[in-house]
C-alpha cells in the first residue's frame, strides 16, 4: 500500500476553506515513483526549472453554458501559483486567459420536454473543432444547464454525457444558486467588488430566469433566483406566439392576457408584459413583505440580508439591452425588458447606483470556464492513488458535532453513524465523502481522539473494505491519515485532504495527482435538475437521450 503526502503543516486556528462562491479547490499531496500527469508548460527557460514547476500550475478549462435561449462554449488557460502564508501550501489563480469564445447559438429543443441531443452535440463539437481543442487537453471545467433548459426531461443525462466527453475533470452542474455565483464572477462583479470594496448586487437575466448575487469585497455572500427571463415568450414575424413557457403564460396573465401558442401578441402588449416583469424584479429586491404574486416567482429562498447595496451590475443576454449594447430584436421579451429595467435604474425606482457593464451575455460561460478553479493546496494523505483516483460524483455528508478543548471519540463516532443513517448512505452502499470540521489546537491527544471517533463511526464501512474519503476544513490531513493507518490500524484505502468546507448534498469530483506540483484537483458542484419552485429540493432524475 503506497502512502502519499508532503510534510504536514498543522495549523490550529480552525481556518476554513471556501464554499459556494469558490467552487473547486486543489490539494497538495506527494506521491513518489508514481505515474502522473504534468501540469507545467515550457513557456521560457524559467518554466523548465523543476522548483518553478512545483510552485506553478497551468490548467486548461472549458465552460459550456446551455441556457434557456443560448448555448455557448469558452476555453481558458489558468495559471496558478503557490503562496507561502501561514505555513500553508495554498495555490491562487494569478492569471486567466480566455483562449476561445464560440458564437452564441440558440439552444435546440426537440419538443417542449426534451433538448435536441443531436443538434446540441453538433454545437459543442463545432466549438471544440474551431478552438482546435481535444477533450484530452482539458483539465477541468463545467457543463452548466440553466433556466428553462434544466427543466427538460433529458437535461441531467445530456449534461452528464457532455461532461464525460468534455475532458478529464469536466463536471455537470445545474442549479439557480450555482448559476448566480458563476454569473457574478464571470460578469466582473466580483472583481469590481474586490477592487472597490463595494457591496455589489449582480442581476443576471437570461432567457428563463433572473439570478441574483450579492458580493462583499469580492466574495459571493448570498444568491437567489426568480422566474423572469427574456425568452419565456417568443413571437414570429407575424406576431404569432410560437413559444410560450409556463412562466411566460403566468407573466402574460399578470398583465391581463390569457395567451396560448398561436395567438397574436402585438408589440405594445409585449411591452406591457415586460414592464410588469421589470416591476416584479424591483419589488423582489426592495419590498418587504413581498406581494404574493411576486413571492411566487422566487425559485429559491430570498436573498439573505447582506447589508446595504452600494452598486448594481447587470449581466446575461437582457443586460445587453440594459447597457444599450444591443439594439436588435429576436421576437422575445429581451429588448423591452432590458430597456424597462434601464429606465427604472435611471429614475431611482431601482434604488442602487448603476455600475458600468462587464461581461453580459457571456457571463455565466466565462464564470464556468475561468472561475471554476479555486486552488487551496494543503497537504493530503492518499494510500493508493490508482485505486482512489479519479472519482466522480461522490456525495458529501457532513455530521454535526462540537469540538471542545477535549475531543470525545464517542461523540464523534455517534455523529458519523447518525448522519450515515439519516442520509440513507448505508443502504445504498455507495462511496461517500465525509466532510468533517476541525478547529482548535492540533495536539496529539485531541487528534487521536478525533481519529478514534472517525474509525469507530465508519467501522461498518471499513469492515466491508470500502475506501474512506475524508475532507477536512482544518489543516491536519497528513497527521490524521497517519494516525488512522499507523496507530489505529485502518487498513483499507484512505484519502484525507483538508482546507475545504463542504455541505450536505454537495457532490465532488476528485482528479488524479498532478506532478511536479503535487496537487489534486477537487471540484465542488451541484447536481440539481428539474428545479420546481413548489418543492424545497429539486430532483436529479433524467430520461435517456
Amino acid at each position: 500500500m503506497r502512502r502519499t503526502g508532503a510534510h504536514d503543516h498543522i495549523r490550529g486556528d480552525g481556518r476554513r476553506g471556501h464554499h459556494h462562491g469558490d467552487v473547486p479547490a486543489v490539494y497538495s499531496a506527494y506521491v513518489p515513483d508514481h505515474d502522473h500527469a504534468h501540469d507545467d508548460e515550457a513557456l521560457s527557460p524559467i518554466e523548465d526549472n523543476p522548483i518553478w514547476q512545483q510552485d506553478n500550475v497551468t490548467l486548461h478549462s472549458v465552460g459550456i453554458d446551455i441556457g434557456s435561449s443560448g448555448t455557448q462554449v469558452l476555453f481558458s488557460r489558468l495559471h496558478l501559483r503557490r503562496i507561502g502564508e501561514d505555513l500553508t501550501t495554498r495555490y491562487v489563480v494569478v492569471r486567466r486567459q480566455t483562449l476561445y469564445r464560440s458564437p452564441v447559438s440558440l439552444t435546440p429543443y426537440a419538443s417542449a420536454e426534451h433538448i435536441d441531443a443531436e443538434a446540441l452535440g453538433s454545437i459543442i463539437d463545432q466549438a471544440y473543432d474551431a478552438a482546435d481543442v481535444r477533450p484530452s487537453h482539458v483539465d477541468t471545467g463545467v457543463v452548466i444547464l440553466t433556466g428553462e433548459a434544466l427543466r427538460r426531461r433529458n437535461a441531467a443525462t445530456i449534461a452528464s454525457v457532455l461532461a464525460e466527453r468534455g475532458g478529464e475533470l469536466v463536471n455537470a452542474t445545474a442549479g439557480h444558486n450555482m448559476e448566480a455565483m458563476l454569473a457574478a464572477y464571470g460578469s466582473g462583479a466580483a472583481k469590481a467588488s474586490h477592487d472597490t470594496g463595494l457591496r455589489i448586487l449582480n442581476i443576471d437575466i437570461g432567457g428563463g430566469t433572473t439570478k441574483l448575487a450579492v458580493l462583499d469585497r469580492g466574495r459571493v455572500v448570498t444568491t437567489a433566483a426568480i422566474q423572469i427571463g427574456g425568452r419565456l415568450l417568443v413571437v414570429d414575424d407575424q406576431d404569432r406566439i410560437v413559444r410560450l413557457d409556463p412562466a411566460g403564460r403566468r407573466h402574460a396573465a399578470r398583465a391581463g392576457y390569457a395567451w396560448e401558442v398561436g395567438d397574436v401578441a402585438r408589440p405594445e402588449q409585449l411591452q406591457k408584459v415586460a414592464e410588469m416583469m421589470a416591476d416584479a424584479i424591483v419589488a423582489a429586491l426592495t419590498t418587504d413583505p413581498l406581494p404574493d404574486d411576486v413571492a411566487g416567482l422566487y425559485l429559491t429562498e430570498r436573498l439573505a440580508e447582506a447589508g446595504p447595496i452600494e452598486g448594481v451590475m447587470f449581466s446575461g443576454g437582457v443586460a445587453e439591452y440594459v447597457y444599450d449594447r444591443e439594439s436588435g430584436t429576436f421576437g422575445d421579451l429581451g429588448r423591452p425588458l432590458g430597456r424597462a429595467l434601464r429606465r427604472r435604474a435611471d429614475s431611482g425606482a431601482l434604488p442602487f447606483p448603476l455600475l458600468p457593464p462587464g461581461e453580459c451575455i457571456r457571463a455565466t460561460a466565462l464564470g464556468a470556464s475561468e472561475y471554476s478553479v479555486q486552488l487551496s493546496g494543503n497537504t493530503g494523505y492518499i494510500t493508493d492513488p490508482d485505486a482512489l483516483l479519479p472519482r466522480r460524483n461522490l456525495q458529501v455528508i457532513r455530521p454535526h458535532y462540537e469540538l471542545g478543548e477535549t475531543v470525545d471519540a464517542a461523540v464523534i463516532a455517534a455523529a458519523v453513524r447518525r448522519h450515515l443513517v439519516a442520509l440513507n448512505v448505508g443502504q445504498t452502499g455507495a462511496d461517500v465523502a465525509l466532510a468533517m470540521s476541525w478547529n482548535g489546537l492540533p495536539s496529539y491527544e485531541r487528534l487521536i481522539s478525533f481519529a478514534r471517533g472517525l474509525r469507530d463511526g465508519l467501522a461498518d464501512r471499513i469492515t466491508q473494505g470500502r475506501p474512506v474519503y475524508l475532507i477536512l476544513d482544518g489543516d491536519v490531513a497528513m497527521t490524521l491519515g497517519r494516525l488512522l493507518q499507523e496507530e489505529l490500524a485502518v487498513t483499507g484505502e484512505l484519502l484525507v485532504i483538508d482546507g475545504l468546507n463542504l455541505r450536505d448534498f454537495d457532490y465532488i469530483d476528485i482528479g488524479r495527482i498532478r506532478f511536479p506540483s503535487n496537487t489534486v484537483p477537487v471540484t465542488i458542484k451541484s447536481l440539481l435538475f428539474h428545479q420546481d419552485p413548489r418543492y424545497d429540493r429539486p430532483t436529479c432524475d433524467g430520461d435517456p437521450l
Side-chain angles (χ1 to χ4, degrees):
M1 189 174 296
R2 184 181 296 119
R3 296 185 178 91
T4 77
H7 70 272
D8 196 18
H9 298 299
I10 302 176
R11 184 180 66 217
D13 60 5
R15 183 179 304 177
R16 297 186 177 186
H18 299 291
H19 176 72
H20 189 62
D22 303 324
V23 182
V26 165
Y27 298 89
S28 177
Y30 175 63
V31 188
D33 66 358
H34 194 277
D35 292 338
H36 54 267
H38 285 274
D39 49 29
D40 56 291
E41 289 195 342
L43 303 177
S44 68
I46 186 62
E47 279 76 24
D48 293 331
N49 187 312
I51 297 176
W52 186 93
Q53 293 170 359
Q54 291 179 14
D55 290 336
N56 292 267
V57 178
T58 298
L59 296 177
H60 292 83
S61 178
V62 64
I64 302 174
D65 178 15
I66 304 169
S68 302
S69 56
T71 292
Q72 53 187 310
V73 183
L74 292 96
F75 296 95
S76 301
R77 179 164 54 224
L78 313 177
H79 178 201
L80 305 107
R81 182 175 299 151
R82 181 161 55 186
I83 60 175
E85 67 172 25
D86 298 332
L87 297 180
T88 71
T89 55
R90 186 165 61 95
Y91 287 76
V92 298
V93 177
V94 295
R95 185 169 65 251
R96 299 177 176 91
Q97 179 184 4
T98 301
L99 303 177
Y100 176 78
R101 305 182 182 199
S102 78
V104 180
S105 302
L106 288 177
T107 299
Y109 296 101
S111 67
E113 295 186 345
H114 287 82
I115 296 170
D116 189 329
E118 183 176 355
L120 182 63
S122 296
I123 293 172
I124 307 304
D125 289 343
Q126 289 170 15
Y128 273 77
D129 290 343
D132 194 23
V133 172
R134 293 193 297 272
S136 59
H137 297 160
V138 177
D139 299 305
T140 186
V142 173
V143 178
I144 182 168
L145 275 87
T146 61
E148 291 297 301
L150 67 86
R151 295 179 60 251
R152 270 46 183 189
R153 292 175 60 87
N154 59 343
T157 304
I158 283 180
S160 297
V161 169
L162 290 177
E164 291 286 348
R165 296 175 181 173
E168 180 180 32
L169 205 66
V170 177
N171 68 72
T173 187
H176 303 303
N177 290 305
M178 175 72 74
E179 183 185 3
M181 181 273 297
L182 291 177
Y185 279 102
S187 70
K191 185 178 188 302
S193 174
H194 177 272
D195 292 347
T196 64
L198 297 176
R199 189 178 293 108
I200 293 175
L201 169 65
N202 191 72
I203 303 177
D204 183 89
I205 311 175
T209 56
T210 295
K211 281 70 59 180
L212 310 170
V214 177
L215 301 106
D216 190 356
R217 293 183 294 277
R219 185 171 65 94
V220 176
V221 294
T222 179
T223 58
I226 53 180
Q227 201 161 31
I228 293 175
R231 206 165 172 83
L232 295 172
L233 185 156
V234 181
V235 298
D236 61 16
D237 293 341
Q238 284 73 47
D239 295 333
R240 292 197 176 276
I241 298 173
V242 294
R243 171 177 168 178
L244 185 62
D245 288 340
R249 183 178 284 106
R250 289 196 294 272
H251 285 296
R254 292 178 67 242
Y257 305 118
W259 285 332
E260 298 293 340
V261 172
D263 289 346
V264 172
R266 295 186 299 275
E268 62 272 18
Q269 295 174 315
L270 295 180
Q271 182 68 44
K272 183 178 178 181
V273 174
E275 296 286 346
M276 296 212 49
M277 293 167 72
D279 286 337
I281 291 175
V282 173
L285 294 168
T286 61
T287 306
D288 192 17
L290 284 176
D292 290 342
D293 61 335
V294 176
L297 297 175
Y298 263 97
L299 295 163
T300 63
E301 295 296 324
R302 291 189 64 179
L303 281 175
E305 178 59 42
I309 301 300
E310 299 167 297
V312 62
M313 289 180 65
F314 286 88
S315 62
V318 174
E320 301 285 350
Y321 298 102
V322 174
Y323 290 111
D324 293 325
R325 303 204 304 195
E326 173 63 61
S327 59
T329 182
F330 300 92
D332 54 30
L333 296 163
R335 184 169 68 174
L337 176 58
R339 291 182 172 178
L341 285 166
R342 179 58 182 263
R343 287 193 294 272
R344 283 153 180 77
D346 291 343
S347 69
L350 184 65
F352 316 121
L354 181 63
L355 300 178
E359 291 288 344
C360 291
I361 195 170
R362 296 187 181 275
T364 301
L366 278 170
S369 173
E370 298 188 11
Y371 297 88
S372 61
V373 174
Q374 176 72 31
L375 303 183
S376 178
N378 297 314
T379 52
Y381 187 94
I382 308 172
T383 56
D384 188 345
D386 287 336
L388 293 166
L389 300 173
R391 285 303 308 267
R392 285 181 178 267
N393 297 342
L394 280 175
Q395 181 181 344
V396 174
I397 66 168
R398 185 181 180 91
H400 304 288
Y401 56 90
E402 295 291 335
L403 286 181
E405 292 185 10
T406 301
V407 176
D408 189 332
V411 170
I412 301 301
V416 171
R417 285 192 293 263
R418 185 168 55 247
H419 219 54
L420 286 169
V421 172
L423 298 185
N424 297 320
V425 173
Q427 297 179 9
T428 65
D431 292 337
V432 296
L434 185 65
M436 304 295 292
S437 179
W438 171 265
N439 56 65
L441 293 174
S443 64
Y444 173 82
E445 291 77 12
R446 297 183 81 238
L447 280 168
I448 192 65
S449 294
F450 190 65
R452 287 195 185 99
L454 290 171
R455 178 199 62 184
D456 296 345
L458 295 169
D460 290 343
R461 302 179 72 83
I462 293 172
T463 300
Q464 296 167 8
R466 305 207 66 83
V468 173
Y469 293 86
L470 293 176
I471 315 292
L472 303 169
D473 57 17
D475 195 5
V476 294
M478 173 63 72
T479 300
L480 185 63
R482 285 175 172 166
L483 290 174
L484 286 166
Q485 286 234 310
E486 297 174 10
E487 297 200 27
L488 300 180
V490 174
T491 57
E493 301 299 350
L494 176 64
L495 177 145
V496 189
I497 53 180
D498 53 22
L500 188 66
N501 186 13
L502 301 177
R503 301 182 303 184
D504 283 332
F505 303 108
D506 282 338
Y507 286 78
I508 59 173
D509 291 350
I510 309 178
R512 296 184 180 90
I513 296 174
R514 304 173 60 90
F515 281 83
S517 62
N518 305 321
T519 57
V520 179
V522 177
T523 304
I524 308 167
K525 60 188 180 180
S526 167
L527 290 176
L528 307 183
F529 289 83
H530 291 178
Q531 302 222 23
D532 191 314
R534 296 171 297 176
Y535 302 102
D536 291 333
R537 290 201 61 82
T539 60
C540 296
D541 58 328
D543 290 346
L545 294 174

